Amino acid sequence: MPYPVLPPLPPDSPLGKVLDQPLILGLFLPIHNGGWTMSAYPRATDWTFDYNAALTRQAEALGFDLVFGPAHWLSKGGFGGEIRYRETALDTLMAAAGLAAVTERILLISTVHIFYGPWHPLHLAKFGATLDHMSGGRWGLNVVTGFRKDEWSMFGQQQPDHDRRYELADEYVSLLQQLWAGEEDLDYHSAQWTLSKAFVTPKPRYGRPIIVSATSSAAGIAQAVRQADLIFVTSPAGASFDAAIEALPGITRQVREAAAAIGRNVRILVNPMIIARDTEAEAHGVYQEILRQADHGAVDGFFHTHATGDSRSWRGHQRDERIVGGNIQLVGTPEQITGQILRLKAIGCDGLQLCFVDYEPELAYFGERILPLLKQAGLRL
């Protein structure tokens, strides 16, 4: 059955203010060991809360709009290799609660597999309302449905079909919204969920938290344009800039047309890995050194694990691209990377969720050398 579409957040909400930016800037936090790079390349990137809190404050000081934490459920050893890639990871809800206390303006997005356990909508509505209250309306939920069968089995569950998961997500987010907005008890019964005299307080400050979705499939896009404010898309052609810039317009067009058909305006974000240096040769030298020190056990484990799932994203990514990380890779001088970002904006990308190899110094370099160029180009106010 069709469920009501998500109502817009008001212009004076934290998200409403972010949407005034010509280009949204986010930071993909490395809340798991290894970050996005499956390599022994030396770096100080760390999974700990203190490190990620410092990064978040650094991003906030630079004027970034949001930070975002991924979620993984992995067995001992993570994806494998010498670095035991992503074996250790923070929980995104708990991390956001901690970050709310040490930040003032930046949006805090938590990734949650809403069906694992399963999460009852009443639980997540209560937790989300509390995080919204703690953060002053800055908290958001990245709704993911779980594409890997091994994650489902970790919780003793069978994975529903791909498209069916997005139908269920539509119902789930609708229930969250009813609980956040409702001024009376909610009685509800379906094949999936039952609520009797359910009620949630405190009410979110601006009516509801921010909702995010990451998808590139037809079913995922159809659900996301109904029930999300921000939609992350991936390049199906791989992470090289030339391949991605050719493939992404078809996806951004599909998202915009689907949203317009139901009277909604969503924002589209992508996830670039930034490797910026003073010279092009130096930047590409770093890229090659990352590959030279690749942890091939981690890469094999990553590809094997993802091959068991049914995600429609990432399928065109090559081995070297996954070693370095990022859905799109921007490599070069500050001027070259600014030009690439302008091209991403021109093909319909409203924002960037950035990742780096060595986060703290590279984020500082981005702020010093690239951010002023983005402002000159009119991409940042």
Side-chain angles (χ1 to χ4, degrees), residues 37-356:
T37 305
M38 289 178 272
S39 173
Y41 181 82
R43 53 211 155 111
T45 296
D46 191 21
W47 61 268
T48 62
F49 177 78
D50 286 347
Y51 183 83
N52 280 278
L55 284 180
T56 301
R57 291 193 295 267
Q58 182 183 4
E60 185 173 61
L62 289 172
F64 275 54
D65 303 306
L66 70 153
V67 292
F68 193 105
H72 295 288
W73 296 96
L74 293 164
S75 299
K76 183 178 179 179
F79 287 112
E82 293 293 326
I83 64 174
R84 302 168 76 92
Y85 186 55
R86 297 191 179 183
E87 178 184 49
T88 304
L90 299 175
D91 175 75
T92 61
L93 284 172
M94 299 301 100
L99 292 174
V102 298
T103 56
E104 297 179 354
R105 180 195 54 79
I106 200 164
L107 306 184
L108 309 168
I109 310 297
S110 299
T111 299
V112 177
H113 293 84
I114 58 173
F115 302 137
Y116 291 175
W119 278 94
H120 194 283
L122 185 57
H123 266 129
L124 194 51
K126 180 71 170 182
F127 296 159
T130 302
L131 283 164
D132 177 276
H133 182 74
M134 293 169 65
S135 66
R138 294 185 289 127
W139 180 74
L141 171 67
N142 176 33
V143 175
V144 290
T145 65
F147 78 92
R148 284 174 33 212
K149 290 183 179 179
D150 61 333
E151 288 188 333
W152 283 87
S153 65
M154 187 179 286
F155 288 90
Q157 296 173 270
Q158 293 291 319
Q159 182 190 52
D161 290 341
H162 178 276
D163 289 7
R164 175 60 177 157
R165 296 200 302 273
Y166 286 103
E167 293 174 5
L168 294 172
D170 201 9
E171 180 182 7
Y172 195 104
V173 177
S174 177
L175 279 172
L176 293 178
Q177 173 58 17
Q178 290 179 65
L179 289 164
W180 286 326
E183 296 297 334
E184 303 295 337
D185 291 341
L186 176 64
D187 293 310
Y188 182 89
H189 179 78
S190 73
Q192 300 297 322
W193 295 287
T194 295
L195 296 89
S196 178
K197 298 187 181 302
F199 190 70
V200 164
T201 58
K203 294 302 178 185
R205 187 163 300 190
Y206 297 95
R208 62 170 177 82
I210 303 154
I211 301 294
V212 180
S213 181
T215 185
S216 292
S217 70
I221 290 171
Q223 188 272 329
V225 297
R226 294 173 50 78
Q227 301 283 16
D229 303 294
L230 306 175
I231 300 178
F232 282 84
V233 300
T234 58
S235 161
S240 79
F241 182 79
D242 290 341
I245 205 74
E246 292 296 323
L248 279 170
I251 296 176
T252 59
R253 188 181 312 113
Q254 182 181 357
V255 171
R256 290 202 194 286
E257 290 176 353
I262 57 172
R264 295 199 72 227
N265 179 25
V266 298
R267 300 299 172 89
I268 301 169
L269 282 72
V270 292
N271 163 224
M273 166 65 75
I274 305 288
I275 300 179
R277 298 294 188 273
D278 290 344
T279 68
E280 183 178 3
E282 185 182 3
H284 284 280
V286 170
Y287 193 99
Q288 292 303 315
E289 188 60 23
I290 292 168
L291 296 181
R292 191 185 71 80
Q293 300 189 50
D295 187 330
H296 291 289
V299 183
D300 291 341
F302 184 90
F303 273 102
H304 172 75
T305 302
H306 278 251
T308 65
D310 63 358
S311 172
R312 310 294 168 84
S313 305
W314 304 94
R315 291 183 175 180
H317 287 243
Q318 303 302 308
R319 186 180 182 88
D320 285 0
E321 295 168 354
R322 293 308 312 139
I323 291 168
V324 176
N327 181 244
I328 303 169
Q329 294 168 351
L330 310 186
V331 183
T333 66
E335 292 77 14
Q336 288 172 324
I337 287 174
T338 300
Q340 292 173 328
I341 291 173
L342 281 164
R343 291 182 66 188
L344 288 170
K345 174 67 174 177
I347 63 167
C349 298
D350 301 306
L352 309 177
Q353 188 73 10
L354 305 181
C355 56
F356 300 95

